[in-house]
Structures are given as C-alpha cells and as structure tokens.
C-alpha cells in the first residue's frame, strides 16, 4: 500500500515556479505547447500522437493507483486530518476529496475529446485541429488542479 501511495503522490519539487507540480501536469503542459504546431499547420505528426499516448499513460497510472487507494479507504491528503492538520500542515478540508475526483474525470474526458479532435471523427478535421490548443490548455488546467487540490485546503477547511 505504501508503494501505491508513493507512486500516486509523486510530486516534482524544486522548480521555482510551480507550473507543473506533478508529472501529469508536466506532460499536459508539453502537450499544450506542442498542440500549437498542429493548430497552425493543420496536420498532426506521429511524435505528437506518441506524446498524446504518453499523456494517457501519465493519467492512467496515477488514476488506477488512486482507485486502488480509494478502495483501501484513503482520501487525498488535503481531506485527511492527521493530528489536527493535514500531512502538509494545513487544516483538513473533506470537500477536496470529491474535487480531486472531479478534476481527474475532467482530465479523462478532455483526453478523449482531444483524441476525437485529432482523428476528425465528430468534428471536421481542420476545425478540430484549430480547437486543439484550447482543449489541451483546459487539460493542463485540470491536471494542475488535480495536484493542487490534493495538497491545499479549499474554502471550507476544518468542516
């Protein structure tokens, strides 16, 4: 169980600007920057698709471990009171647990929408590629919030 907790809760520390607190946020930030090229050229290259698959793996690995931890009865650190505070020293906020799941679900849904935009199945291919940076920016925001919600309390700490 400790290995799953370590794998699920891995954070990137030491970067002066917290643009990517987790590996998933880093993967999605690179995907956002990379999506500008296909939006301008109106074609998707194989390296972009490989990075998209890597981003899927980057979401599914902590997602599956998170499900296993939740089945074991654990909640995100910001929702768990450990002796008067969370493991990060803030007041516990139980509402952050469902927010963590919500942002994860948004990430999963957005990755699926990006796949649809790239393939051009439900939307015309040109229009889908033009919308790609918007979808990847939303994905990055959700991935960032997954990590933020796990650490910091929300508007209802201590309740």
């Amino acid at each position: 169980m400790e290995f799953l907790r370590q794998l699920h809760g891995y954070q990137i520390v030491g970067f002066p600007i917290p643009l990517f607190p987790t590996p998933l946020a880093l993967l999605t930030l690179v995907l956002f920057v990379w999506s500008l090229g296909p939006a301008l050229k109106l074609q998707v290259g194989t390296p972009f698709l490989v990075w998209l698959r890597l981003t899927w793996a980057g979401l599914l690995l902590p997602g599956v471990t998170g499900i296993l931890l939740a089945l074991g009865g654990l909640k995100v650190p910001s929702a768990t009171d450990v002796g008067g505070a969370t493991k990060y020293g803030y007041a516990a906020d139980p509402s952050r647990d469902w927010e963590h799941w919500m942002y994860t679900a948004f990430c999963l849904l957005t990755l699926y929408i990006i796949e649809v935009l790239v393939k051009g199945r439900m939307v015309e291919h040109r229009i889908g590629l033009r919308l790609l940076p918007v979808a990847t920016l939303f994905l990055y925001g959700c991935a960032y919030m997954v990590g933020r919600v796990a650490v910091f309390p929300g508007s209802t700490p201590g309740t």
Side-chain angles (χ1 to χ4, degrees), residues 77-93 151 158:
S78 63
T80 306
D81 191 358
V82 183
T86 65
K87 83 175 198 178
Y88 297 107
Y90 300 106
D93 187 0
V151 174

Side-chain angles (χ1 to χ4, degrees), residues 42 117 123-133:
L42 295 178
L117 293 175
V123 180
E124 183 188 344
H125 193 63
R126 292 171 24 106
I127 295 172
L129 291 180
R130 295 274 186 212
L131 294 174
L132 194 59

Side-chain angles (χ1 to χ4, degrees), residues 44 65 116:
V44 179
T65 57
V116 168

Side-chain angles (χ1 to χ4, degrees), residues 50-86:
V50 169
W51 194 264
L52 182 59
R53 299 312 180 271
L54 189 64
T55 306
W56 270 105
L59 173 68
L60 292 178
L61 183 65
V64 169
T65 57
I67 290 171
L68 293 173
L69 290 170
L71 290 174
L74 297 177
K75 296 185 178 200
V76 296
S78 63
T80 306
D81 191 358
V82 183
T86 65

Side-chain angles (χ1 to χ4, degrees), residues 38-39 41-49 117-119 125 129 132:
K41 291 190 251 177
L42 295 178
Q43 74 182 52
V44 179
T46 305
F48 180 82
L49 293 175
L117 293 175
V118 166
K119 300 275 196 236
H125 193 63
L129 291 180
L132 194 59

Side-chain angles (χ1 to χ4, degrees), residues 18-156:
L19 289 175
F20 41 88
T22 62
L24 177 61
L26 176 61
L27 289 169
T28 57
L29 180 62
V30 170
L31 190 71
F32 164 65
V33 171
W34 205 335
S35 72
L36 298 174
L40 294 174
K41 291 190 251 177
L42 295 178
Q43 74 182 52
V44 179
T46 305
F48 180 82
L49 293 175
V50 169
W51 194 264
L52 182 59
R53 299 312 180 271
L54 189 64
T55 306
W56 270 105
L59 173 68
L60 292 178
L61 183 65
V64 169
T65 57
I67 290 171
L68 293 173
L69 290 170
L71 290 174
L74 297 177
K75 296 185 178 200
V76 296
S78 63
T80 306
D81 191 358
V82 183
T86 65
K87 83 175 198 178
Y88 297 107
Y90 300 106
D93 187 0
S95 68
R96 295 304 244 183
D97 194 49
W98 73 266
E99 282 184 70
H100 189 69
W101 286 102
M102 176 189 70
Y103 284 118
T104 305
F106 281 157
C107 285
L108 189 63
L109 180 64
T110 307
L111 270 174
Y112 175 73
I113 289 171
I114 290 170
E115 288 283 346
V116 168
L117 293 175
V118 166
K119 300 275 196 236
R121 293 204 174 132
M122 297 170 91
V123 180
E124 183 188 344
H125 193 63
R126 292 171 24 106
I127 295 172
L129 291 180
R130 295 274 186 212
L131 294 174
L132 194 59
V134 175
T136 54
L137 181 61
F138 180 76
L139 175 65
Y140 167 67
C142 290
Y144 180 83
M145 287 304 292
V146 165
R148 187 180 187 287
V149 161
V151 174
F152 298 109
S155 60
T156 58

